[in-house]
Amino acid sequence: QVQLVESGGGLVQPGGSLRLSCAASGNIFIINDMGWYRQAPGKQRNLVAVITKRGSTNYADSVKGRFTISRDNAKNTVYLQMNSLKPEDTAVYYCNARGLTYSDYDQNDYWGQGTQVTVSS
């Protein structure tokens, strides 16, 4: 199994910044895409950003120009640098990884436990 451990969430004022980290561990053979999703109260979980193993990225329109996703393949870690934060960014942020363990025949999606990001004055 693959475990994803997130860190970096917390409270921040509008216009501030936070950096989220997510480290994957376990019986990992390969990790392909990694991404961040978020879910606000009463709403669906939506994609924030995704990054391929080669480094290609995609962002939700609402975060373009403000958030940057990156990864360190040697550490099996994905990051989300969040700048110019808005109250609308308040949500639980979830790390996602798609890959294989040595026991898998097909790729699986793995999820972190979620970390709260609150943007408020």
Side-chain angles (χ1 to χ4, degrees):
Q1 186 63 271
V2 175
Q3 296 83 43
L4 302 178
V5 179
E6 299 152 322
S7 63
L11 303 172
V12 66
Q13 292 186 323
S17 298
L18 284 173
R19 183 173 180 262
L20 305 183
S21 299
C22 173
S25 62
N27 194 26
I28 298 170
F29 175 60
I30 192 169
I31 294 177
N32 293 313
D33 293 356
M34 301 186 80
W36 291 94
Y37 294 71
R38 67 186 181 186
Q39 187 169 19
K43 297 190 175 183
Q44 297 287 104
R45 186 178 299 184
N46 295 315
L47 175 70
V48 177
V50 64
I51 184 168
T52 70
K53 190 174 182 180
R54 294 189 179 96
S56 297
T57 60
N58 285 289
Y59 297 90
D61 288 341
S62 59
V63 307
K64 286 181 179 178
R66 300 188 296 120
F67 291 9
T68 302
I69 189 170
S70 60
R71 66 189 289 171
D72 185 337
N73 290 335
K75 296 181 179 180
N76 288 325
T77 300
V78 63
Y79 307 92
L80 186 68
Q81 179 67 47
M82 304 185 291
N83 299 325
S84 301
L85 283 161
K86 305 174 180 179
E88 306 92 90
D89 296 318
T90 296
V92 177
Y93 284 69
Y94 296 91
C95 176
N96 170 264
R98 184 170 179 84
L100 290 164
T101 71
Y102 288 99
S103 300
D104 292 334
Y105 288 97
D106 297 299
Q107 290 188 95
N108 287 301
D109 284 311
Y110 301 95
W111 293 91
Q113 79 287 349
T115 185
Q116 178 70 48
V117 172
T118 302
V119 184
S120 177
S121 59

